[in-house]
Amino acid sequence: MARSEYILLDDVHRTYQEAGRSHAVLKGLSLAMNSGEIIALLGRSGSGKSTLLNVISGIDKPDQGQVVVNGIDLTALSERELTLFRREHIGFIYQFFNLIPTLTARENIALVLELNGYSPTAVREISQTMLAAVDLSQAADRFPDRMSGGEQQRVAIARALAHSPGLVLADELTGTLDAETGQLVLKLLQKLVSDQGGTLLLVTHSLAVAKTADRVLTLEDGQLAEQEGSFAW
Amino acid sequence: MPGSLPISLLQRSSLRFMAHHKRQSWLTFTGIMLGVTMVVAVDLANSSARRAFALSLTSVAGNVTHQIVGGPLGIDEHVYSRIRTELAIRNSAPMVTGVVRIKGQNFRLIGSDPISEATIGRHVLGLHRGELKEALLNPNAVVLSERGANRLELSLNQTFSLQVTGREPEVKLVATFAADNPAATEGLIFTDIANAQTLLQRWGRLDRIDLVIDRDDQLRLEAWLPDELKLVESDSRNQSMQQMSDAFHINLTAMSLLALLVATLLIYNTMTLSVIQRRRTLGIYRTLGVSRGEIFNLVLSESLALAVIASAAGLVAGLLLGQLLVQLVTRTINDLYFSLHVSAFLIDPWSLLKGFSLGIVMTLISAFLPAWEANRTEPIAVQQRSALEEQWRSRLPFFVTVGLVFLLLGMLLVNREHGSLLEGFAALTMIVMGFCLVIPSIVVVLSRATILVIAPLPYQIVRIAIRGISSGISRTGLAVAALTVAVSVTVGVGIMVGSFRHTVAVWLDQALVGDVYISPTGLVSDDALRRVKQQLTGVDGIKHVVGSRVLNAESEFGPLRLMARTLTDVDTGMPMKEAVPGAEQLFLEGQGVLVSEPLAYHRQRGPGDTISLHTSEGPRQFPIVGVYFDYTSSQGMVVMQHELYRHWWSDDSLTGLTVVGKQGVTADKLLSETRRAIGLDLEHFTVISNGEIRQVALSVFDRTFVITDVMRLLAILVAAVSVLSALIALQLERTREFGILRATGMTPGQIRLMIIVQTLLIGLFAGLLAIPLGLLMAEVLIEVINRRAFGWSMQQTLPVDVLIQAMVLALGSAFLAGLYPAHKAATISPSMALREE
């Protein structure tokens, strides 16, 4: 399968002001990620992994450098355009699931479809399909607080993939799950992403998770490095 | 590319949020509802009173264009027949009116001529019906409305007695009628004009002649009318009556709007609370691609939905409260202005629409900032909890600057010479808003100062509590502001009422120079009072008896009260405000008149000016030699020597007597001597001592301000709910902090203590700040609002009890509002709280 560059980061800098002092998180970072590729991103706490996800998803803007996702230069977009870009092209999965507590499992999935302007019929059908894909058809009408952590994470995966985004960003996907559930969830996510031909960027501390990726990158001192061999954390 | 955003799931999520957070939704609901309730209730009470007044005017005025009014003795009835014969003006109807009592209730007796009534097209009674005409022409026949008859439990052809002119003549109810507007005629009793003249002992006299005439007839009449009579336009006369109580209505409306302002702060607080609680959810929305504008609209549409429901509930509650208020409003109008009978509570759709719209608009305005706050929510990945407070703190200097500008503008408006009443209210609003904007900064300073004061003490809990106030200033600042405004209303209005009462009490001491006052119970003939005066002359213990005549006289400003007094010594009994040199002598010699302070203020007349009064010989200018303090009427009064009055009005009658006792004679002895001297005629007169008048006057005064107390209590209630919502917001934001404190060993009791200390401090700060704001408010109410509304000046007093009451109120309401949040915070599960992000 022919692969093209889906994400292209070039000389990205991001500095924060904290208590009157500058703190450079990303220092001239560059990254090329192909369509359909799965990359695991490792790094110590505070190394800037979340900042990198924010920059790639258009939540945060770099001070300098270029961020191109699916051929769109994010640095040139307005706040509203970035929101619409995120809505259409990105699927987010978090360690703490971040489901909407006042919506049922089905509605959580339907929300992104509605946001993307799908017809009511399509919303219903895709929600149902996604629920079945994560094996939660029976929990469709349950609210998040009535679900286990593993179930909530599966709903989060279904929500992230429902609108077939080009890029899925997963931040500590298995952080709050036990090893066995974590593995199941990870396999499910990888399968679904690969079925849709999507691109997956996994931020993780887990070596086991990292090993399942096509490539492993390490973020250290504001720069990315290709990781090979054993991991220190 | 996605199409336009259908947000039904977002809205569904919002609705579920509201349903899951019932208490909070109730708080917002209550805030909006209370605000709308206050506005609607006051508005309906006002409009009911106004409408009743207008209806009672219409019921006896019809489509009359002009009226001929007479001097103190009314109009000779021959004038009426001459108008019809000599001037051939047929569209005219004579009328005699007076107050009578039936079964202890006041009614207005209307004597009219059924045939003439038809010529001016007045059919309020259905008098065009032959049988009714027939009935009315019978001697002693009267007609009541069906509702009036039911109220008095009278049936057709029943005979009953009226209390009038000191007698109790028998009359017969010959017919009842169903009025189109029962409220307008319920307090009226109709009879033929000849019967009315007999009942009121006004033989051969009319009170007025109603006319439906064009411009030509008007000119002819004006040229023809004898000097003692005046042709006035019906509308302008009614308007001047209405204007009398306008200031009172405006004051009430202003208080209701002040309550709405407090309610707005409450709505702001609760809406902010709902945004805080969902900051995480809103962050997720942002991550999923919901735009800022969509979140803004979502929060606003939630508020709109709540506003619609709560405003509707406010309308219902306003209708209920309005029924209570209309009684208070009517009582005050009856005490202060004119006799008004409001039995029907009129539901004015305009009042309802206004209240409803105000509820919606105020909610949307107060929800704007929370919605803006929500719209600034960052996607979940980059949320920082402290960002909001940081943002708020950075805006404090801006708030202070704007607040000071408002205060300055308010003070400039206050100090404007002869500004309008509305400007006065605008000034008051600016001062209150300006002060509110400065409050958060003052609270930060006060918190820091308190920490410095307790620095040497080992009270960590207190320290955490105080820091909580300054670190959560976006919540606590508003809570303090809401409570401060509500309590300052108590202080301001308390001082104003206290000062007013004190001024009136002092004035009564000065003005009541007589020891005993005598007035007829109804209309009695001039001879009766004159005879009593004769009877009292030379009675043991009586130094002298002074007669007076009080009447409504026509002036260049419309009808006003005129008092003619026979003064035998230099003490006029009228505390003077300002006067020309030698004013007393000029007055006693009949070379000038005194005008009351409200008249002087409203008409901008003072010593050295003149005032035009319509005498028996036509309009005459009278020099004003002095302005005296007077609190009997905001309409204004002119006082002149009896001799001067007699000269210009050819009227020798009296309406009251003042008895002055000799040195050393006790009030009781004088009262009993006076009563004995009057003898059998006593039942026709009210004989009352100086002390009793004082007591009655002050009780009327107190009654007048009952409605003010009701409004103050409601404002405090709204403020207490506001503090409660702010504290809940704080508690929610600090759930994790409480969890940590519990996990590190703080007991639930200590947490509870910490919150209570915090709320008491909020109450203390609000109480302390309410005092200067209240003093400022009192100053504006006394020197600007009341002056511009009523023309009264007051001696300002500073009742300590009002200040103590304010502190107790602030601390008490804050304490009560803090109990629930304290309980909630104390019962937080450490493990659950620590799981919160």
Side-chain angles (χ1 to χ4, degrees):
Chain A
M1 190 166 124
R3 289 188 168 187
S4 58
E5 282 171 350
Y6 192 80
I7 298 175
L8 192 62
L9 272 66
D10 183 27
D11 193 24
V12 169
H13 292 257
R14 184 71 178 103
T15 302
Y16 291 106
Q17 296 295 321
E18 281 177 353
R21 292 164 66 181
S22 296
H23 174 52
V25 181
L26 306 179
K27 303 173 188 170
L29 180 146
S30 296
L31 167 70
M33 194 172 170
N34 292 325
S35 180
E37 196 176 11
I38 298 176
I39 288 186
L41 179 63
L42 294 167
R44 294 175 199 279
S45 296
S47 60
K49 300 187 295 292
S50 296
T51 303
L52 181 57
L53 287 194
N54 294 342
V55 166
I56 294 173
S57 61
I59 286 174
D60 203 355
K61 276 193 170 186
D63 304 317
Q64 188 190 318
Q66 202 177 28
V67 181
V68 179
V69 178
N70 196 25
I72 302 166
D73 182 0
L74 301 194
T75 53
L77 298 186
S78 67
E79 164 68 34
R80 181 166 171 75
E81 286 166 335
L82 282 173
T83 302
L84 296 178
F85 162 81
R86 202 158 55 239
R87 184 187 289 182
E88 192 183 354
H89 297 279
I90 307 285
F92 255 115
I93 306 164
Y94 295 98
Q95 180 179 6
F96 292 102
F97 329 124
N98 285 340
L99 298 179
I100 306 295
T102 45
L103 296 179
T104 62
R106 187 203 311 274
E107 288 168 343
N108 262 285
I109 298 165
L111 178 64
V112 284
L113 298 168
E114 277 199 2
L115 287 171
N116 278 289
Y118 284 67
S119 71
T121 316
V123 168
R124 207 166 35 246
E125 282 172 4
I126 298 172
S127 305
Q128 201 55 47
T129 308
M130 292 310 296
L131 276 167
V134 296
D135 198 20
L136 278 175
S137 297
Q138 79 291 349
D141 295 321
R142 269 159 48 191
F143 284 96
D145 62 353
R146 302 278 170 203
M147 293 176 180
S148 68
E151 286 173 328
Q152 287 191 55
Q153 198 59 296
R154 275 144 66 197
V155 176
I157 290 171
R159 182 180 69 182
L161 296 170
H163 58 302
S164 305
L167 176 63
V168 177
L169 302 172
D171 193 356
E172 293 295 349
L173 166 79
T174 57
T176 54
L177 306 176
D178 61 68
E180 191 183 344
T181 312
Q183 276 303 315
L184 285 172
V185 164
L186 181 64
K187 277 185 185 158
L188 178 65
L189 173 65
Q190 287 177 338
K191 177 184 178 298
L192 291 173
V193 171
S194 124
D195 286 352
Q196 290 185 350
T199 307
L200 175 62
L201 182 57
L202 282 163
V203 167
T204 184
H205 277 104
S206 162
L207 297 180
V209 172
K211 280 176 184 167
T212 62
D214 298 336
R215 273 200 290 159
V216 178
L217 300 175
T218 308
L219 183 59
E220 200 169 1
D221 197 26
Q223 298 274 356
L224 279 175
E226 198 93 24
Q227 185 71 46
E228 287 170 15
S230 63
F231 303 107
W233 54 91
Chain B
M1 194 65 195
S4 64
L5 176 67
I7 55 166
S8 64
L9 274 173
L10 292 181
Q11 286 173 327
R12 197 179 305 170
S13 168
S14 288
L15 285 176
R16 284 193 190 137
F17 175 83
M18 286 194 263
H20 287 171
H21 296 79
K22 286 188 188 70
R23 284 195 193 93
Q24 188 187 321
S25 303
W26 270 110
L27 276 179
T28 316
F29 178 89
T30 309
I32 303 168
M33 191 194 74
L34 281 176
V36 173
T37 301
M38 300 275 278
V39 173
V40 169
V42 168
D43 213 47
L44 285 178
N46 276 346
S47 61
S48 285
R50 280 169 191 270
R51 184 101 179 102
F53 174 72
L55 282 172
S56 64
L57 274 180
T58 314
S59 66
V60 291
N63 53 354
V64 167
T65 60
H66 292 76
Q67 292 173 346
I68 295 172
V69 290
L73 298 177
I75 307 164
D76 186 330
E77 65 183 4
H78 292 114
V79 171
Y80 170 65
S81 45
R82 286 178 64 199
I83 288 173
R84 290 181 79 93
T85 53
E86 291 177 28
L87 297 180
I89 296 176
R90 305 278 179 203
N91 297 341
S92 54
M95 191 172 274
V96 173
T97 69
V99 176
V100 296
R101 280 176 83 74
I102 310 170
K103 295 188 176 178
Q105 298 179 39
N106 274 355
F107 275 75
R108 193 161 167 217
L109 180 71
I110 309 283
S112 58
D113 171 25
I115 298 159
S116 312
E117 288 292 314
T119 65
I120 60 167
R122 191 156 49 191
H123 299 301
V124 66
L125 275 184
L127 284 175
H128 51 294
R129 279 192 255 154
E131 54 174 348
L132 203 52
K133 260 192 263 177
E134 194 62 39
L136 270 179
L137 293 176
N138 289 331
N140 291 336
V142 295
V143 174
L144 278 165
S145 71
E146 278 175 1
R147 202 197 278 197
N150 287 340
R151 204 175 86 199
L152 292 167
E153 296 173 344
L154 292 172
S155 50
L156 272 184
N157 296 317
Q158 187 178 341
T159 302
F160 59 99
S161 57
L162 298 176
Q163 282 180 295
V164 58
T165 64
R167 298 163 307 112
E168 294 195 8
E170 297 264 300
V171 291
K172 187 177 171 186
L173 180 65
V174 295
T176 58
F177 64 94
D180 292 342
N181 216 319
T185 49
E186 190 181 336
L188 304 177
I189 176 167
F190 293 85
T191 188
D192 176 65
I193 194 158
N195 286 342
Q197 285 174 325
T198 307
L199 289 169
L200 297 168
Q201 298 192 337
R202 294 172 60 76
W203 297 283
R205 312 299 298 182
L206 304 174
D207 281 308
R208 65 175 208 239
I209 300 169
D210 290 341
L211 304 153
V212 180
I213 52 172
D214 57 20
R215 178 80 184 144
D216 289 344
D217 283 345
Q218 183 193 339
L219 293 173
R220 283 200 302 137
L221 254 176
E222 276 170 351
W224 179 87
L225 270 186
D227 286 341
E228 74 269 21
L229 302 183
K230 191 177 178 187
L231 181 69
V232 292
E233 282 183 21
S234 185
D235 278 354
S236 65
R237 195 176 168 79
N238 295 342
Q239 268 171 20
S240 64
M241 289 276 283
Q242 179 73 73
Q243 277 164 6
M244 280 191 259
S245 60
D246 270 357
F248 172 68
H249 291 299
I250 291 173
N251 268 327
L252 274 185
T253 306
M255 285 205 74
S256 73
L257 290 177
L258 207 56
L260 192 68
L261 177 69
V262 177
T264 306
L265 292 174
L266 165 65
I267 299 164
Y268 169 81
N269 257 341
T270 47
M271 286 311 298
T272 309
L273 176 59
S274 105
V275 168
I276 294 164
Q277 282 179 318
R278 279 179 301 165
R279 198 182 293 145
R280 186 181 172 79
T281 304
L282 296 174
I284 300 171
Y285 286 152
R286 293 280 294 120
T287 311
L288 294 177
V290 179
S291 70
R292 290 186 192 282
E294 284 156 356
I295 287 187
F296 182 80
N297 290 339
L298 182 70
V299 175
L300 270 196
S301 61
E302 269 173 33
S303 339
L304 183 67
L306 255 179
V308 169
I309 300 167
S311 298
L315 293 187
V316 176
L319 284 171
L320 298 175
L321 182 65
Q323 304 207 25
L324 167 73
L325 290 190
V326 77
Q327 304 302 330
L328 299 176
V329 168
T330 312
R331 199 168 65 182
T332 303
I333 291 174
N334 275 317
D335 284 340
L336 299 183
Y337 303 103
F338 38 74
S339 173
L340 184 66
H341 182 84
V342 186
S343 61
F345 181 62
L346 295 156
I347 300 169
D348 180 3
W350 174 239
S351 294
L352 299 182
L353 184 68
K354 201 162 67 177
F356 190 78
S357 314
L358 263 177
I360 306 269
V361 170
M362 292 310 280
T363 308
L364 289 181
I365 289 175
S366 35
F368 183 86
L369 274 178
W372 187 254
E373 210 171 287
N375 130 59
R376 306 316 296 168
T377 307
E378 297 290 356
I380 191 73
V382 290
Q383 270 192 13
Q384 285 180 315
R385 289 177 57 83
S386 57
L388 175 77
E389 286 301 333
E390 275 301 323
Q391 234 174 28
W392 237 82
R393 232 185 302 277
S394 68
R395 285 184 205 144
L396 288 181
F398 172 74
F399 290 159
V400 171
T401 312
V402 176
L404 290 176
V405 169
F406 268 49
L407 279 169
L408 192 70
L409 285 175
M411 294 312 284
L412 284 176
L413 272 181
V414 161
N415 290 318
R416 237 171 67 86
E417 276 285 309
H418 297 299
S420 69
L421 182 59
L422 277 179
E423 274 178 36
F425 282 124
L428 187 62
T429 311
M430 279 188 182
I431 289 171
V432 171
M433 285 180 70
F435 205 89
C436 275
L437 285 167
V438 179
I439 283 175
S441 300
I442 300 178
V443 170
V444 171
V445 173
L446 283 176
S447 306
R448 285 179 187 161
T450 316
I451 285 179
L452 285 179
V453 170
I454 64 148
L457 305 171
Y459 302 136
Q460 283 306 326
I461 292 177
V462 178
R463 208 161 286 142
I464 298 171
I466 302 169
R467 289 225 171 92
I469 293 177
S470 56
S471 65
I473 194 67
S474 70
R475 317 284 161 234
T476 52
L478 275 156
V480 175
L483 195 54
T484 301
V485 172
V487 176
S488 68
V489 172
T490 297
V491 175
V493 176
I495 291 176
M496 188 266 284
V497 174
S499 302
F500 198 2
R501 201 178 194 283
H502 170 76
T503 307
V504 169
V506 169
W507 171 79
L508 281 170
D509 287 342
Q510 292 174 321
L512 296 173
V513 288
D515 297 307
V516 173
Y517 290 83
I518 303 166
S519 57
T521 50
L523 284 173
V524 286
S525 61
D526 309 344
D527 290 350
L529 213 51
R530 198 166 296 287
R531 200 169 56 244
V532 168
K533 194 180 174 202
Q534 290 289 332
Q535 286 167 335
L536 292 174
T537 310
V539 168
D540 187 32
I542 294 179
K543 188 178 166 191
H544 56 246
V545 182
V546 181
S548 61
R549 173 84 164 107
V550 179
L551 64 147
N552 280 323
E554 290 297 325
S555 74
E556 58 186 303
F557 310 121
L560 51 76
R561 303 289 282 168
L562 172 64
M563 182 195 267
R565 297 187 62 161
T566 309
L567 294 167
T568 52
D569 49 32
V570 178
D571 185 359
T572 59
M574 284 163 194
M576 298 299 289
K577 189 184 178 201
E578 49 182 339
V580 297
E584 284 169 0
Q585 200 54 36
L586 290 169
F587 178 80
L588 290 172
E589 289 169 1
Q591 292 185 42
V593 298
L594 303 176
V595 296
S596 68
E597 189 192 20
L599 180 63
Y601 180 84
H602 287 308
R603 307 299 181 183
Q604 294 178 28
R605 295 287 163 95
D609 296 332
T610 60
I611 183 167
S612 173
L613 299 172
H614 196 90
T615 70
S616 300
E617 296 174 29
R620 285 287 178 278
Q621 295 287 339
F622 292 88
I624 297 169
V625 295
V627 175
Y628 71 99
F629 290 108
D630 177 65
Y631 299 94
T632 54
S633 144
S634 61
Q635 176 194 4
M637 192 180 247
V638 176
V639 180
M640 63 173 59
Q641 262 288 23
H642 214 140
E643 280 305 315
L644 184 65
Y645 169 74
R646 219 181 335 248
H647 175 76
W648 287 107
W649 275 266
S650 310
D651 171 26
D652 209 16
S653 59
L654 298 174
T655 51
L657 294 176
T658 304
V659 179
V660 181
K662 286 178 182 164
Q663 194 82 31
V665 180
T666 64
D668 284 346
K669 182 171 166 47
L670 197 64
L671 199 60
S672 61
E673 286 297 327
T674 306
R675 283 180 173 152
R676 199 169 54 206
I678 296 173
L680 289 175
D681 285 340
L682 191 62
E683 60 175 321
H684 298 160
F685 299 96
T686 302
V687 181
I688 188 167
S689 71
N690 176 320
E692 284 171 306
I693 287 193
R694 197 175 186 281
Q695 209 175 6
V696 169
L698 289 177
S699 72
V700 166
F701 180 93
D702 293 337
R703 263 166 41 186
T704 307
F705 285 100
V706 168
I707 190 162
T708 320
D709 289 339
V710 174
M711 307 286 281
R712 280 157 68 190
L713 279 176
L714 286 172
I716 289 287
L717 180 68
V718 177
V721 180
S722 178
V723 174
L724 174 67
S725 73
L727 289 173
I728 293 176
L730 263 183
Q731 176 230 321
L732 273 170
E733 285 184 317
R734 297 172 62 200
T735 303
R736 188 176 165 79
E737 183 188 330
F738 294 142
I740 294 168
L741 289 171
R742 288 278 290 112
T744 48
M746 200 178 256
T747 65
Q750 285 171 316
I751 297 267
R752 200 173 277 126
L753 177 69
M754 191 176 77
I755 305 272
I756 292 295
V757 166
Q758 198 173 58
T759 56
L760 284 175
L761 274 170
I762 285 176
L764 180 71
F765 292 165
L768 287 174
L769 289 169
I771 291 173
L773 181 60
L775 290 173
L776 207 57
M777 211 181 264
E779 178 79 14
V780 177
L781 284 172
I782 291 172
E783 297 300 333
V784 183
I785 306 285
N786 271 289
R787 199 140 173 69
R788 291 180 187 175
F790 306 108
W792 291 319
S793 58
M794 300 174 203
Q795 295 167 25
Q796 241 191 83
T797 56
L798 185 59
V800 180
D801 59 326
V802 169
L803 302 185
I804 295 171
Q805 197 186 46
M807 285 309 292
V808 171
L809 214 55
L811 286 168
S813 49
F815 175 74
L816 288 176
L819 287 178
Y820 175 71
H823 170 73
K824 287 292 283 181
T827 50
I828 276 175
S829 147
S831 57
M832 288 297 286
L834 289 171
R835 271 183 60 192
E836 292 280 323
E837 270 254 283

